[in-house]
Amino acid sequence: MGASGPVRRLLAIALVGAIASASGLGCGDGGEGRDGAETASEGKPDPGGSAGDDVYDEVPAAALRERPWEVVSKKGETYLANVFYADASQNEQIMPWALDGRTMIDRLVYPTLGNPNLYVKADAEDELVMVLRIEPDAFDHLKPSRAPEGGDSPLKAVTLTEDGDNGFSFLLVARSERAAAESSTTQLPRAGVFRIAPTKVLESPEPADMPAALAKRKTLRFVFDRAAMANVPPGLYDARFEVRKNGALFANVYEYQYNAVRVFDAERDEYTAINVTDTQVAIGAEYKAFTADKLDDFVDAVNAETDAAVKNAAFITFNGDLHNGGSPGSVRQRIVAKTYADEAKRVVGALKRLNFPIFLTAGNHDGYAAVGHVPSLVKTVDEKVGDSLKKVIEEQNNLAWPDYSWDAFAAFLDDTLATPGGRHTDIFEGTFERRAGETFSASFKEVARRDRNVILYDGFYQWQKTYGPLYTSWTFGKNRYVSMNSFELRQHRRTGWGMYTVNYGGAVSKPQLEWLDRELTRGKLAGQDLVVLMHHDPRGGHKGQDLGYYSPMIEFRGIAQSTLNYIFSSALVPAVCKQPNWSLSVDERESCLHDGLQEWMGPDALDKDGPGFFLSGVELLKRFVKSAHARTMVLGHVHFNSLEVLQSGDVLIPNRLSMDPATQSANASIEAANPVRRLAWEDRLVPEAPGAWRFAAPGMPSLANDVETSLAPGSFDRWRSDLDTMLRAATPPSMTTLSAPQGGPRELAILRFTSGADLASQKYEGSSMYGYAALHVTKQTGAARINRMTFFKHDGAAETFRKIDTVDVDRTKSIAARAPSNPVDQLFEW
């Protein structure tokens, strides 16, 4: 149990006192060897390094086939881009991801709370598919036999020996029956619970090069066609599966997913969807009123809303930062170690009450990680109250790191004292180095446990075990929705302590880009209009300005004394301990939260298969240049509503970054606005001459960590100069502007939405503009696409949301984000 509110406040004050009296830096302040952190030298660009314009044409039909680690629907939707995402072996961390002892996702990997299925009864070709990752001995008693599915399918058809007392059981549960149906002891079916029988059972192939760790479970997909779904009325359902033997639940093999399936009578070309983003749910006493409580308000409001655009919406989309990954005052070991699981418990409690399915997209706050290097002053304060990281870990059950021992963990921490962000390992998440490819041997390279980081926690592991995969796609009407993970940095680039880390801008891997190429091609072949959802703006900059500026990746160096002093004395304690409510301005809050200060990151030096640098934001934008049917990009991250429409010939990204001295100075300030990132910068910079700076060599002394003074703008000249060169190489002229491959008209609408929490960067009629929006998909301009938005604002007095206005998206002309004629800019105040 955590400390009570008054006790937490006293501990915060005690920590401030400790900071005031202590000396020395935190545990992560030693030197480290050179790696990708010193980003100017990592990016020694090859002027000929740009991929040619022809690389991003549509994928050949033969290459569209399902990979052995994927599940792709008959409609070409990627239900699962990696069926192993929830395997325990791919989510190894010390802290458990279970919520109140229950693992939310284990065997039933599709559909899930954050990756639901939309089933349409009127579509004779539609299918509901449920995907299991299950041990063979869990169904050996059903005597499975296998045969080729037929045709060119690599799948095997599975025949099971089942009767009334033995077999798999799949149920769709009406919300009214949830309380009873989610219990493992409930006798089912009952009224409101629909048992559905699969039309066929298919098993995924296991090629000879499949890693042994992934072959411990089988991937089974249970397919329910129109006849199987005939008796299920339209509505929103939970999904449950179980295995029975001799009439009883077998070895507790069952799983329950909230709001996993929505059944429609018919699909509609014109419809509405709800969009909410950046809820940043935090549970810290000083922050939950601004975040977690507002998520509850949102759920209550959309469930009760009578406006047709909301009441009749087909589903909800989300653009990232579901979690906060901590709160400003959450630095104690006990709180930090349990943050994601505790936040997830609050999130699930809210989302399962929704009357709509929700498709969740990940953001940076959802993916912070820690290897367990505790700031020394935090450790000192915890010792005063008899607490420690060892004690926190030993109190937990179901530790997710196999064969865990404190001695082994302590040895790892000793081994990584100089690199508190962890070993520099080429892993995004899981246990494999990943490459784009069509075979396991090409795409999965297992990394031995001894060579990996021992992860205390990883927010993406909590995500995968609670909500679903990190990227996916679905279709509805004439639209294809592609949800991307735009915080796909390598694991050691996402590390920090609580919500304090150094890299929080966007990036995508080559395997995800290769997957996107296939999604774009499938959409084109199907004549679908594409909506791409992600958290960050791949054009770089910050808050829609200074496009083309990509923040360099640097290393987490720990949390120093002056940083903690800033966090508590300057930003947190006056608010928590001296005022009944947090009355800081949004700008003051964001100086601590660092949202919107980075849009996209520069190249990662660990990317060895390329010209020495890889600007993933530019590579992603190339897909939009070549794909005229990708007409809408929906983003979050910056906590404001905005609208941009680009036409053929409009600048998408500059191949040369022009910054006047004032802008350069502003970017230098932004780089240092997060005090933890600033510390990392200072370890990389030493004075060379008055007004001139260079990157420090390993072992060089760092600057004094004074967070109240600004770094000289010249500190970043070298990085920006190298960035200029990289942009020229990576963005040939044909890729700097939006164009249609075959000429003719072309448009790209870029929609950004404010925070669903009280963290907005805008105002409406003088008060904070936070809320949600309804997206109207209509046929105003040819194919059905998002052509209208209705905005809803939180009403603080009523703790609900009220309709503000409806704005049309004019796709026939260029609209700049802050142009006087922009209808969204006219509506809200900056």
Side-chain angles (χ1 to χ4, degrees):
M1 296 290 290
S4 66
V7 172
R8 278 193 293 267
R9 286 193 288 273
L10 289 172
L11 288 170
I13 295 171
L15 184 52
V16 174
I19 291 169
S21 61
S23 62
L25 297 179
C27 71
D29 301 307
E32 77 172 294
R34 278 185 78 81
D35 186 52
E38 38 308 308
T39 45
S41 58
E42 79 171 51
K44 289 299 184 182
D46 174 3
S50 168
D53 290 1
D54 58 346
V55 172
Y56 300 102
D57 287 333
E58 64 185 65
V59 175
L64 292 178
R65 63 182 176 274
E66 180 182 280
R67 305 292 189 259
W69 52 85
E70 295 179 330
V71 173
V72 178
S73 77
K74 287 175 63 175
K75 295 181 178 180
E77 307 152 297
T78 302
Y79 288 156
L80 297 172
N82 179 1
V83 297
F84 314 115
Y85 79 85
D87 281 18
S89 67
Q90 303 311 300
N91 295 278
E92 292 179 353
Q93 63 176 31
I94 293 175
M95 298 302 292
W97 4 255
L99 307 185
D100 290 333
R102 171 182 167 186
T103 299
M104 300 300 296
I105 302 175
D106 184 14
R107 299 179 179 95
L108 178 57
V109 295
Y110 179 82
T112 60
L113 172 63
N115 185 29
N117 180 274
L118 307 180
Y119 176 77
V120 180
K121 295 174 71 72
D123 183 353
E125 297 299 313
D126 204 5
E127 299 174 335
L128 168 63
V129 178
M130 293 196 186
V131 183
L132 302 185
R133 287 280 297 155
I134 191 165
E135 310 89 331
D137 59 8
F139 63 102
D140 277 346
H141 64 287
L142 303 179
K143 300 175 182 176
S145 62
R146 298 166 175 85
E149 184 188 16
D152 59 357
S153 171
L155 303 174
K156 295 178 180 178
V158 180
T159 301
L160 302 169
T161 303
E162 297 180 285
D163 55 37
D165 291 330
N166 300 277
F168 284 94
S169 180
F170 293 88
L171 305 118
L172 297 180
V173 181
R175 309 280 295 290
S176 60
E177 298 303 315
R178 172 184 291 167
E182 64 180 319
S183 166
S184 63
T185 60
T186 302
Q187 292 297 310
L188 300 169
R190 50 190 283 163
V193 178
F194 301 89
R195 188 184 299 277
I196 53 177
T199 310
K200 57 185 174 183
V201 181
L202 301 172
E203 186 174 289
S204 293
E206 296 184 353
D209 62 350
M210 183 176 180
L214 305 179
K216 293 179 180 179
R217 288 182 168 186
K218 304 295 183 183
T219 303
L220 300 181
R221 61 191 85 181
F222 294 78
V223 181
F224 305 88
D225 64 8
R226 192 178 194 180
M229 296 291 290
N231 295 325
V232 180
L236 181 63
Y237 296 93
D238 298 343
R240 171 175 171 148
F241 101 93
E242 59 191 29
V243 176
R244 291 196 168 263
K245 182 177 182 181
N246 298 327
L249 192 66
F250 174 69
N252 207 37
V253 177
Y254 90 104
E255 204 158 314
Y256 195 95
Q257 288 293 327
Y258 302 115
N259 294 354
V261 178
R262 182 167 186 182
V263 177
F264 295 87
D265 266 331
E267 207 165 32
R268 307 185 296 273
D269 289 349
E270 294 189 306
Y271 56 93
T272 59
I274 301 166
N275 181 275
V276 66
T277 186
D278 290 77
T279 53
Q280 289 192 208
V281 169
I283 57 169
E286 75 282 358
Y287 218 58
K288 66 183 180 66
F290 297 96
T291 61
D293 292 352
K294 298 303 179 287
L295 178 59
D296 287 326
D297 289 351
F298 165 75
V299 171
D300 293 338
V302 297
N303 284 349
E305 182 59 59
T306 59
D307 186 280
V310 175
K311 184 178 180 179
N312 299 326
F315 49 82
I316 301 174
T317 59
F318 188 89
N319 307 328
D321 282 2
L322 181 64
H323 286 251
N324 203 51
S327 58
S330 300
V331 294
R332 289 190 58 221
Q333 296 166 92
R334 177 171 299 278
I335 298 172
V336 169
K338 298 171 61 178
T339 285
Y340 275 109
D342 287 346
E343 288 179 353
K345 180 179 177 180
R346 183 70 187 263
V347 170
V348 170
L351 295 187
K352 72 180 185 180
R353 296 191 294 109
L354 281 169
N355 291 339
F356 306 88
I358 184 167
F359 291 90
L360 294 173
T361 298
N364 53 293
H365 278 272
D366 302 311
Y368 297 152
V371 295
H373 286 283
V374 183
S376 60
L377 293 177
V378 174
K379 189 180 299 185
T380 298
V381 170
D382 273 347
E383 287 173 354
K384 292 180 182 298
V385 294
D387 211 356
S388 68
L389 188 59
K390 181 180 181 181
K391 185 175 181 180
V392 172
I393 292 171
E394 289 177 346
E395 288 175 359
Q396 307 306 307
N397 295 316
N398 302 315
L399 295 182
W401 187 269
D403 304 321
Y404 168 82
S405 74
W406 174 260
D407 289 343
F409 182 43
F412 165 78
L413 293 178
D414 288 342
D415 188 49
T416 54
L417 279 175
T419 56
R423 297 174 180 139
H424 299 169
T425 307
D426 192 6
I427 288 177
F428 293 98
E429 67 273 331
T431 61
F432 295 93
E433 292 183 4
R434 290 296 310 275
R435 298 289 184 271
E438 298 186 28
T439 63
F440 279 108
S441 57
S443 191
F444 287 74
K445 179 184 176 182
E446 191 162 11
V447 179
R449 186 173 293 156
R450 65 178 179 274
D451 298 326
R452 304 196 321 263
N453 288 300
V454 181
I455 295 294
L456 178 65
Y457 64 83
D458 185 328
F460 281 157
Y461 292 169
Q462 187 70 58
W463 182 285
Q464 292 179 150
K465 298 297 290 185
T466 308
Y467 313 114
L470 290 166
Y471 52 92
T472 187
S473 70
W474 74 95
T475 65
F476 195 76
K478 301 297 184 183
N479 305 109
R480 173 177 291 261
Y481 292 83
V482 178
S483 173
M484 299 191 69
N485 175 17
S486 67
F487 193 51
E488 200 177 26
L489 280 65
R490 286 170 175 82
Q491 193 170 51
H492 74 278
R493 300 285 193 212
R494 299 186 280 108
T495 53
W497 184 250
M499 60 171 282
Y500 297 102
T501 185
V502 294
N503 301 310
Y504 35 88
V508 291
S509 69
K510 290 182 179 179
Q512 188 177 178
L513 284 172
E514 186 267 348
W515 168 78
L516 176 62
D517 288 337
R518 289 182 286 132
E519 287 296 308
L520 291 169
T521 300
R522 287 172 178 144
K524 182 177 180 179
L525 294 175
Q528 294 165 330
D529 195 88
L530 257 77
V531 179
V532 178
L533 301 113
M534 57 186 151
H535 190 58
H536 303 84
D537 190 337
R539 297 174 296 174
H542 66 285
K543 294 193 173 185
Q545 303 176 83
D546 304 324
L547 302 182
Y549 182 81
Y550 291 99
S551 299
M553 287 196 196
I554 56 179
E555 300 299 322
F556 176 66
R557 304 294 304 133
I559 298 181
Q561 174 183 340
S562 58
T563 302
L564 285 173
N565 188 47
Y566 169 82
I567 292 170
F568 281 87
S569 297
S570 301
L572 177 66
V573 171
V576 178
C577 300
K578 298 180 182 178
Q579 302 174 33
N581 296 305
W582 192 327
S583 60
L584 296 179
S585 70
V586 169
D587 287 342
E588 287 171 320
R589 283 186 226 153
E590 293 220 327
S591 72
C592 195
L593 282 176
H594 58 68
D595 272 331
L597 300 180
Q598 290 176 357
E599 283 285 11
W600 208 271
M601 305 307 296
D604 185 342
L606 282 179
D607 195 326
K608 300 179 179 68
D609 54 337
F613 69 94
F614 182 73
L615 288 172
S616 65
V618 174
E619 298 302 315
L620 177 56
L621 290 168
K622 288 179 180 180
R623 272 71 176 173
F624 283 93
V625 171
K626 302 292 285 187
S627 304
H629 61 298
R631 296 184 177 93
T632 308
M633 188 188 302
V634 183
L635 309 172
H637 189 57
V638 293
H639 301 178
F640 57 69
N641 295 304
S642 73
L643 164 66
E644 295 174 73
V645 180
L646 304 180
Q647 303 292 328
S648 297
D650 286 346
V651 174
L652 186 60
I653 184 172
N655 65 356
R656 191 64 202 269
L657 188 65
S658 298
M659 283 188 178
D660 57 37
T663 304
Q664 172 76 344
S665 178
N667 275 274
S669 299
I670 288 168
E671 281 293 335
N674 171 2
V676 184
R677 184 169 172 88
R678 178 195 173 86
L679 172 64
W681 265 113
E682 289 172 337
D683 258 18
R684 289 291 175 268
L685 299 169
V686 294
E688 193 169 58
W693 300 73
R694 64 178 172 83
F695 284 91
M700 295 286 289
S702 65
L703 303 177
N705 182 235
D706 183 357
V707 298
E708 295 184 358
T709 61
S710 60
L711 293 179
S715 305
F716 304 95
D717 280 349
R718 182 176 175 182
W719 162 250
R720 197 184 66 76
S721 176
D722 278 0
L723 180 59
D724 281 346
T725 306
M726 283 186 277
L727 284 168
R728 285 197 300 273
T731 54
S734 61
M735 290 297 180
T736 62
T737 59
L738 189 68
S739 61
Q742 286 79 39
R746 170 73 198 282
E747 91 280 354
L748 174 63
I750 302 174
L751 314 178
R752 306 199 76 144
F753 294 102
T754 189
S755 173
D758 189 3
L759 303 170
S761 300
Q762 282 180 326
K763 292 185 177 180
Y764 177 79
E765 295 182 344
S767 62
S768 179
M769 177 57 215
Y770 61 99
Y772 69 96
L775 311 179
H776 302 252
V777 178
T778 69
K779 294 182 179 179
Q780 292 177 5
T781 53
R785 59 188 66 116
I786 299 171
N787 288 317
R788 184 175 296 129
M789 302 176 289
T790 299
F791 297 99
F792 293 81
K793 178 186 180 300
H794 190 271
D795 185 337
E799 295 185 349
T800 186
F801 294 77
R802 62 186 177 93
K803 181 178 177 180
I804 296 298
D805 206 349
T806 298
V807 171
D808 286 326
V809 179
D810 186 348
R811 292 177 174 266
T812 65
K813 62 183 181 183
S814 299
I815 303 175
R818 301 190 184 184
S821 60
N822 187 314
V824 174
D825 190 70
Q826 291 176 344
L827 192 59
F828 303 113
E829 306 156 19
W830 296 98

